[in-house]
Amino acid sequence: MAQDLTEIVKTQHSRKLFLGITFEQLLLILYPLCLIPAVLFWYRGLRRRRSTSDVPAGCTRLGLKGASRTLDEFEKKYDKGNNDQSTWRVKALFAYPIKSCAGIELDEAETNVEGFTYDRKFAFAEWLTPPGKKEPIWTFRTLRQNGYEKLALVRPEVWIPRQGNTTTQGNLKRVAQEGCLIVRYPNVPSGFLAPVDRLMLKWGLIPKENSFRVPLHPGKNHKYPIETVNIWKDYPDWINMAEHIPNDFKEWLGVKNPLALFRAAPENYRNLFRCAPRKEEVGFQPVVAFPDSYPLHLLNIASVHEVGKHVGQAIDRLSLRRFRPNILMEGPPVYDEDDWKRIAIGGNHLYSSCHTTRCKLPNIDPDTAERHSEQPEKFLRTERNIDPGNKTSGCLGMQLVPAKDRAFSLNVGMGIEVLERGEHYYLKT
Ligand SMILES: *[C@@H]1O[C@H](CO)[C@@H](O)[C@H](O)[C@H]1NC(C)=O
Ligand SMILES: *[C@@H]1O[C@H](CO)[C@@H](O)[C@H](O)[C@H]1NC(C)=O
């Protein structure tokens, strides 16, 4: 009897599962299922809007359109260089619109006394109290500071008006009124919807990068606050464009203090002394915006190969991009540039003012933002401490200052000529 009863219950149960569903019940089940794609679509739209990935109207992106000129950077043919000056050439050009962030590669670089037009005019700064000080101040931040390695993954793009022709000085002024910086950074989901976002990312439904826009040239009547920012020993009053930084950028970077994005004010660049030519000598005062010291950085690919050979145990392929050159050259023998004093690139005269003394910044892999604990800093510090003015730091590359106060273009392929050689002595101030 009891057995019969369970039999009956079982069959009742299965009947309910497979046949007992009414048409209304079926609809109730299917209706929400139909909504899922709609919800996904709406959510994707929401996320897309936030990433403002569209391009600025009427503008064109500055930089190389094709493949990088450095794809062959590890080839053996660059190991040694040669003594035939007629073969020395500019191999690649780079600008770093925001200090410490990814660079953009150029075929032609508009150059001025303060360096490339779009090189390191911007930098991030954090509101903090420096050691030994009572008051907080905006302090410029770079890859050097622990926690800021992620800046290597921030990709600024420079967008200039399409009709603008940057090869002529007159047009440069017109371009100067418009254009924008698009700052791209990885879209790393956070918050309680993170799992959904991760799925959307995996399916390619939302962009891999978020972005925000900043005007390239704030213009004379801008409303941005002018505030003091500390860069090394200088305290210029520059333009704080922090209002454009979205919260998710700060979250992603992991900065607890207020974060700013400063633009150097052109009428107020930092005066450069140190080893740069003097005003009495060249007829103008050399200046810089956010570079650490000098406006242009020259690197020899053969020298990078030589360093790479010595640190090969620690770092398999030492990319020249770790050294953040403005001008990469091919041709000169390993370390030949160490005693250059004056050079000409495509006939444009430049002072080779100082060795580039190296900190730990090249230890960061520009592709992964991972910091190597020792190399190549250790090798450079012990084997390349060649400057009698700074025996504690390794040197690689040269710091250049244009010899004339005028705009000119540097191009990939231009010839490089050494006009004068001599001693160098690093000056800190
Ligand atoms: C820019 O101007 C120069 C000089 O007037 C001209 O040779 C060049 O073709 C122009 N480039 C573009 C892209 O219009
Ligand atoms: C040597 O150069 C490094 C890296 O640029 C710098 O941090 C350091 O202060 C310099 N040392 C001296 C004694 O000037």
Side-chain angles (χ1 to χ4, degrees), residues 71-96:
L71 287 182
D72 65 350
E73 67 162 310
F74 298 109
E75 281 186 16
K76 282 195 82 63
K77 64 177 175 190
Y78 298 118
D79 276 0
K80 288 195 159 50
N82 66 78
N83 285 310
D84 177 7
Q85 274 214 34
S86 68
T87 66
W88 299 1
R89 290 189 298 115
V90 173
K91 177 165 171 60
L93 297 164
F94 302 90
Y96 306 90

Side-chain angles (χ1 to χ4, degrees), residues 212-369:
F212 62 94
R213 279 192 204 182
V214 183
L216 260 188
H217 305 277
K220 278 211 166 57
N221 303 317
H222 70 79
K223 300 281 190 298
Y224 300 102
I226 303 284
E227 291 179 290
T228 304
V229 56
N230 174 221
I231 167 165
W232 301 114
K233 293 242 161 15
D234 291 332
Y235 294 85
D237 291 334
W238 281 347
I239 306 160
N240 186 351
M241 302 177 87
E243 64 178 70
H244 300 289
I245 307 177
N247 279 329
D248 65 350
F249 179 82
K250 290 178 217 175
E251 275 165 32
W252 168 75
L253 199 59
V255 184
K256 296 286 175 296
N257 293 320
L259 183 74
L261 179 65
F262 271 89
R263 197 214 191 276
E267 64 281 3
N268 192 15
Y269 288 147
R270 298 150 60 212
N271 285 341
L272 164 62
F273 300 102
R274 303 174 65 145
C275 300
R278 293 287 174 259
K279 193 175 174 180
E280 305 80 67
E281 197 179 335
V282 287
F284 67 93
Q285 173 58 52
V287 290
V288 279
F290 270 115
D292 287 338
S293 35
Y294 301 85
L296 290 166
H297 178 216
L298 175 74
L299 192 69
N300 179 3
I301 192 168
S303 304
V304 178
H305 275 219
E306 184 64 20
V307 174
K309 248 181 263 165
H310 286 94
V311 303
Q313 292 276 324
I315 299 164
D316 196 21
R317 279 146 73 94
L318 188 80
S319 173
L320 62 94
R321 289 193 296 126
R322 287 174 181 257
F323 299 97
R324 303 176 68 80
N326 291 121
I327 304 163
L328 177 76
M329 56 179 174
E330 60 173 290
V334 173
Y335 304 145
D336 190 77
E337 65 280 12
D338 285 349
D339 69 351
W340 294 3
K341 296 292 277 187
R342 248 171 6 96
I343 64 173
I345 303 181
N348 303 288
H349 287 205
L350 298 123
Y351 285 83
S352 174
S353 292
C354 187
H355 293 129
T356 308
T357 54
R358 293 295 174 174
C359 54
K360 292 189 173 166
L361 199 144
N363 289 15
I364 296 168
D365 183 330
D367 292 322
T368 62

Side-chain angles (χ1 to χ4, degrees), residues 52-61 157-162 179-182 184 213-214:
T52 58
S53 59
D54 47 325
V55 303
C59 285
T60 180
R61 187 167 58 79
E157 290 172 357
V158 173
W159 288 80
I160 53 173
R162 197 173 289 133
C180 74
L181 201 64
I182 297 187
R184 301 194 190 279
R213 279 192 204 182
V214 183

Side-chain angles (χ1 to χ4, degrees), residues 357-358 390 392-393 426 428:
T357 54
R358 293 295 174 174
N390 188 340
T392 56
S393 287
Y426 174 95
K428 200 179 172 81

Side-chain angles (χ1 to χ4, degrees), residues 189-200:
S190 66
F192 80 103
L193 284 173
V196 183
D197 283 351
R198 269 194 285 274
L199 263 185
M200 304 278 280

